[in-house]
Amino acid sequence: MNDTPDLTELHGPATHDALANAWRSWGRLDEHVIGHLVNPSFMGGPRWPGLRQAHVIARRDDALLVASDGLADPIEWTDAPPSNGFGVEVYGIAEGLPTDADTMTVAATWLTRMVMTVSNTVAGNGTRFLDMLEHYGSLTMDLPGVVLPDEAIAFTGDGRDPCVLLGLDHTEIPTTIDGPLSTIRLVNVKLLTAAEADYCVQGTTGVAEARGELARLLKTRPNPLRSSLDRQSVV
């Protein structure tokens, strides 16, 4: 019988505490998490580092935060030192949603669906996701299957899929935190208007430069990390 603690037993609690403290620095962190009755990785879904797929909820009086919880779980590699999973957790903040809603109601919102879709895309790419984000500075991603309310016409255009900007930073949330095994990057998911999404693709200065200019413009507005279906486009 092997009594040696495994990596999760050794470093899981410290990982949880580091992330919980980051979200608590923003708002009131719920005790209950958004989870699955059956782990999606057992049904052909992307594999998260510790096979634990969850999302946490934090609240302020004027906004909700939903974040992945498990992408940075401790993991052992055959060709690299142990790390905090893929070195990342993703989150979105939304205004205009009921901040006193119960867990199931929050789970059904466009905010949660948006963050979940990005979470699984990150899991599907593994450590390559953070490599791409650090190389390009920011990324955009279309979200097929994420349905926004009918009134969100500015974000869906002529029936297009919602698009998000990944990697916007601001003092409202720390960009990185120290995990027990490695640094964990907290990646913002920002819902873009259709015009902003088109700008990133069709910008005359090139895609990467257009994303950078869009990020600069977004940060001239109040609360740039937050998504809202009432937000006016910056382009």
Side-chain angles (χ1 to χ4, degrees):
M1 181 176 178
N2 185 0
D3 293 327
T4 303
D6 64 18
L7 206 64
T8 299
E9 291 176 308
L10 286 171
H11 301 293
T15 300
H16 174 270
D17 289 346
L19 288 164
N21 288 337
W23 306 135
R24 287 194 186 105
S25 73
W26 181 86
R28 303 178 299 275
L29 185 64
D30 280 14
E31 177 183 353
H32 300 293
V33 303
I34 301 170
H36 303 274
L37 291 176
V38 179
N39 193 314
S41 64
F42 299 149
M43 300 183 292
R47 184 185 178 95
W48 290 37
L51 293 181
R52 188 180 66 87
Q53 301 189 26
H55 289 79
V56 298
I57 302 167
R59 306 170 191 262
R60 283 185 175 179
D61 293 341
D62 63 341
L64 283 173
L65 180 150
V66 173
S68 62
D69 189 47
L71 292 173
D73 277 0
I75 189 172
E76 291 191 76
W77 306 97
T78 57
D79 56 352
S83 70
N84 275 106
F86 302 140
V88 62
E89 297 286 0
V90 301
Y91 69 93
I93 306 172
E95 297 175 340
L97 293 173
T99 59
D100 58 351
D102 62 27
T103 304
M104 293 297 292
T105 301
V106 175
T109 63
W110 60 266
L111 170 65
T112 299
R113 298 306 176 194
M114 180 179 79
V115 173
M116 280 185 169
T117 299
V118 175
S119 300
N120 282 314
T121 300
V122 172
N125 282 275
T127 56
R128 293 191 303 274
F129 172 80
L130 191 54
D131 290 341
M132 290 188 294
L133 185 60
E134 292 180 343
H135 178 76
Y136 292 109
S138 61
L139 300 168
T140 52
M141 181 185 302
D142 287 336
L143 306 180
V146 175
V147 178
L148 299 179
D150 292 340
E151 63 268 24
I153 186 65
F155 296 85
T156 55
D158 296 326
R160 67 174 297 156
D161 291 324
C163 180
V164 293
L165 177 70
L166 307 178
L168 191 65
D169 58 359
H170 189 259
T171 55
E172 186 172 2
I173 294 286
T175 303
T176 61
I177 61 172
D178 293 329
L181 292 169
S182 58
T183 299
I184 302 170
R185 181 160 177 179
L186 306 180
V187 177
N188 178 255
V189 181
K190 173 81 171 186
L191 181 64
L192 299 180
T193 66
E196 291 164 348
D198 289 340
Y199 178 80
C200 287
V201 175
Q202 300 174 11
T204 57
T205 57
V207 174
E209 290 82 0
R211 286 198 307 268
E213 176 62 10
L214 178 60
R216 185 191 69 79
L217 291 171
L218 288 168
K219 286 194 276 189
T220 66
R221 300 290 180 86
N223 301 317
L225 299 182
R226 301 186 185 194
S227 296
S228 169
L229 301 184
D230 297 326
R231 183 176 67 81
Q232 297 296 310
S233 181
V234 298
V235 298

